[in-house]
Amino acid sequence: DAMVIQNPRYQVTQFGKPVTLSCSQTLNHNVMYWYQQKSSQAPKLLFHYYDKDFNNEADTPDNFQSRRPNTSFCFLDIRSPGLGDAAMYLCATSTGPTYEQYFGPGTRLTVT
Amino acid sequence: AQTVTQSQPEMSVQEAETVTLSCTYDTSENNYYLFWYKQPPSRQMILVIRQEAYKQQNATENRFSVNFQKAAKSFSLKISDSQLGDTAMYFCAFMKPEGNTGKLIFGQGTTLQVKP
């Protein structure tokens, strides 16, 4: 089945140690999104790609970076994780014209 | 800026009964989309239903239907014949299309518990 896959599902990192989260899709969608979702809160958009065009949200910390080497893969890099970065990170994809976003299962990041 | 408000943090319903989740939004846009997403415990978020603002007819997907009141900026979700599998957090979301993309602006969510 076509889907959005996130690896790993659970990630533990140390304070200040860089970490990379991965997202892949078999839907061939041209838009990919990264959201941060803290416990019992709404997802908050960090950035998105339309093809290779990168769009950063104004309030996304500089600590967060992203790469999209091809249509299928997108990575979230957290350069120096702080305790406040502990959260669920959701990847989503979409394509026109319905604008429906398809979400992956998320990666739960713990910072120790 | 657009905002989405879900005024019910938690709700519960007996199995087989009907429940309505509320959502209001604020926008000056005329062309937009509204969504309800479901996030079951420890499972991924999935789309429940979508409404285009230019359509007057309320969207329906099996047991799920919406009451879209554009003038009142209200977008409630009705779940009929509730099932245990409907237990989840429900997010109302607004999107203004920007070309082929659009940013979802989520409400705070409503946790729904379906009781046997």
Side-chain angles (χ1 to χ4, degrees):
Chain A
D1 289 338
M3 57 178 60
V4 181
I5 303 161
Q6 291 188 244
N7 286 307
R9 295 290 309 278
Y10 301 90
Q11 176 74 57
V12 180
T13 191
Q14 293 178 336
F15 182 94
K17 185 175 180 180
V19 65
T20 295
L21 309 183
S22 169
C23 177
S24 64
Q25 56 136 336
T26 60
L27 298 162
N28 203 34
H29 286 171
N30 50 9
V31 188
M32 294 187 78
Y33 305 82
W34 278 105
Y35 291 88
Q36 179 191 65
Q37 185 180 25
K38 295 192 174 179
S39 183
S40 301
Q41 295 183 20
K44 177 180 178 296
L45 182 65
L46 296 173
F47 23 62
H48 74 277
Y49 278 93
Y50 177 65
D51 290 330
K52 283 195 173 289
D53 292 334
F54 176 70
N55 297 272
N56 196 31
E57 291 301 296
D59 57 355
T60 298
D62 292 339
N63 199 25
F64 290 82
Q65 304 286 319
S66 185
R67 295 170 283 135
R68 189 180 186 186
N70 54 52
T71 299
S72 300
F73 285 88
C74 195
F75 300 97
L76 170 61
D77 301 308
I78 308 176
R79 291 190 298 185
S80 182
L83 298 179
D85 296 328
M88 177 74 83
Y89 290 88
L90 302 174
C91 174
T93 72
S94 75
T95 189
T98 66
Y99 301 101
E100 175 181 349
Q101 292 191 16
Y102 294 78
F103 285 82
T107 295
R108 183 166 297 282
L109 178 68
T110 300
V111 182
T112 61
Chain B
Q2 292 85 12
T3 59
V4 178
T5 302
Q6 293 178 246
S7 59
Q8 305 151 314
E10 295 180 354
M11 293 192 73
S12 64
V13 64
Q14 292 296 131
E15 196 175 6
E17 293 188 347
T18 295
V19 64
T20 298
L21 309 184
S22 301
C23 173
T24 59
Y25 59 95
D26 188 25
T27 185
S28 58
E29 302 290 336
N30 195 45
N31 178 33
Y32 53 88
Y33 291 73
L34 295 164
F35 304 85
W36 278 99
Y37 278 87
K38 169 186 176 181
Q39 189 175 37
S42 302
R43 294 178 62 189
Q44 66 199 82
M45 193 170 311
I46 58 172
L47 179 68
V48 175
I49 201 162
R50 178 183 67 247
Q51 175 80 43
E52 294 90 335
Y54 63 85
K55 289 187 177 179
Q56 292 186 337
Q57 186 172 6
N58 289 323
T60 299
E61 288 287 341
N62 300 316
R63 298 181 296 106
F64 299 88
S65 62
V66 297
N67 182 4
F68 174 48
Q69 301 290 326
K70 190 172 184 180
K73 297 178 183 174
S74 171
F75 183 61
S76 60
L77 174 70
K78 184 171 84 171
I79 306 174
S80 303
D81 186 24
S82 297
Q83 301 176 358
L84 296 178
D86 295 334
T87 292
M89 193 154 192
Y90 287 81
F91 290 99
C92 177
F94 170 99
M95 175 189 284
K96 171 195 164 190
E98 296 172 354
N100 285 326
T101 69
K103 294 184 290 190
L104 284 173
I105 298 171
F106 288 93
Q108 306 93 315
T110 296
T111 300
L112 176 67
Q113 177 77 41
V114 180
K115 297 179 178 178

